Amino acid sequence: MEQNIDMSVNLGGIRMANPVTVASGTFGYGQEYARLIDLSRLGAVTVKGIRLEAWPGNPLPRHAEVFGGMVNAIGLQGPGVEGFIRDDMPFLRKAGTPVIVNIWGTSIEEYAEVARRFSEVEGIAGLELNISCPNVKEGGHAFGHDPSTVSRLVAAVRRATPLPIMPKLAPNVPDITVFVRAAQEAGADALAMINTLPAMVIDIERQVPVLANKTGGLSGRGIHPVAVKLVWDAASVATVPILAMGGIFEPEDAIEFLLAGAKAVAVGTATFIDPSTALRVVDGIRAYMIRHGYASMADFKRVG
Ligand SMILES: Cc1cc2nc3c(=O)[nH]c(=O)nc-3n(C[C@H](O)[C@H](O)[C@H](O)COP(=O)(O)O)c2cc1C
């Protein structure tokens, strides 16, 4: 009976044996976690954000635990394209799991150039475009907060690569459907959501912000219902598959996303507490499918 269940999904050209990956920035580049869990049981490995050159990120402290989650301002520390290809790709290729590379840049041209470089690298299944980065040259706005910028950015990356591309939409916008339409009309193959929500923590005795960057992004359990609503809204107009994330700690949280209209899910902050969360989520989705007599992921329908 169990063997007849097909958990595979096609996430806009990224073929995954099951619908569960890890959220960018919470799993490094896979190597550390390979000692703790069997990477081949994941639907895909999604790595931390990479820009053209190596990037140091923000000064410490860069994260703070809060009720219901954590606030971080790592600042997209990373090895750059060449460092990642040299130090991490050989390992990831051997792991035998599809690799989703999260990319960013300080200009549209940089996103396109990073995408172009990765197109020539064997073993990359797709690119997730982090367009919720605050430090950009166009007026200081995050790319993801202006639909016409989203459109231009996605179109530029589309021209630069034949790889599947998946913009990661900013969650703090008035109407997510506008951004869904902009991204898919510009050539996105899939959409990822949600990124962290802007947040701040203050040390009341020292009377200073806790994070050196002053503000950061909230992730974890507390953002889960917000994410479910955004995915559900997005799925009402999406013609491409959605990768959902935000506070998945238990299989039930992931199943909620699948019933909100997502095709696949990513486990983020929970991995810091229990590195095997993503694998428990795979098992839990399978158990749910058995219980509900599902044969494939297509049996998950968006609730009305
Ligand atoms: C420490 C940390 C680092 C992150 N780094 C990135 C990143 O490099 N690129 C990106 O697109 N998202 C990044 N994120 C956002 C996560 O991928 C995810 O969208 C968010 O944390 C929500 O999922 P969660 O509540 O399960 O953690 C990061 C999140 C955390 C907590």
Side-chain angles (χ1 to χ4, degrees), residues 23-25 48-49 72 76 102 130 168 194-195 219-220 245-247 268-269:
S24 175
K48 179 150 181 65
N72 94 82
L76 300 172
N102 180 286
N130 182 2
K168 186 162 174 181
I194 68 172
N195 214 320
S219 64
M245 65 210 77
T269 301

Side-chain angles (χ1 to χ4, degrees), residues 22-27 29 46-50 62-63 70-77 102-104 128-132 168 193-197 217-224 227 244-249 257 266-272:
V22 284
S24 175
T26 63
F27 206 74
Y29 304 93
T46 307
V47 300
K48 179 150 181 65
I50 294 170
R62 307 198 286 193
H63 60 82
M70 65 181 275
V71 177
N72 94 82
I74 304 296
L76 300 172
Q77 181 179 340
N102 180 286
I103 70 169
W104 68 284
E128 183 180 58
L129 321 179
N130 182 2
I131 56 172
S132 330
K168 186 162 174 181
M193 64 181 67
I194 68 172
N195 214 320
T196 56
L197 290 157
L218 177 65
S219 64
R221 281 189 199 275
I223 70 169
H224 180 64
M245 65 210 77
I248 298 179
F249 273 64
F257 277 134
V267 175
T269 301
T271 299
F272 294 137

